[in-house]
Amino acid sequence: MQHPDATPLVLTVEQAAKRLGIGRTLMYALIASGEVESVPIGRLRRVPVECLTEYVNRLREQNTQLPAAA
């Protein structure tokens, strides 16, 4: 029996890239640089869904802190 909340807690790197609308290579680069957090599960690398939200929120904050273009 499946749990009522079947929303995944973690995504594959490919799924995370798709959620952000970016390529797999860029997603791996964001993980390698530490900009997006990932966790090991056994021999697999997974991206917690909330880490994608945190990354996008940081991008939004950075964007609002930039001086307006003249």
Side-chain angles (χ1 to χ4, degrees):
M1 184 173 172
Q2 192 172 21
H3 191 275
D5 182 12
T7 305
L9 295 175
V10 294
L11 304 171
T12 66
V13 174
E14 290 80 6
Q15 289 170 328
K18 189 172 184 178
R19 289 278 296 263
L20 290 178
I22 62 174
R24 190 176 78 111
T25 304
L26 179 54
M27 189 73 232
Y28 275 107
L30 291 172
I31 290 169
S33 70
E35 291 185 66
V36 174
E37 185 182 344
S38 66
V39 296
I41 300 178
R43 292 173 46 180
L44 306 172
R45 178 66 46 188
R46 294 293 183 255
V47 179
V49 173
E50 65 265 17
C51 293
L52 293 180
T53 303
E54 291 167 4
Y55 172 68
V56 171
N57 287 340
R58 280 195 309 276
L59 290 176
R60 293 178 70 196
E61 288 173 17
Q62 291 171 4
N63 189 46
T64 59
Q65 293 173 0
L66 294 176

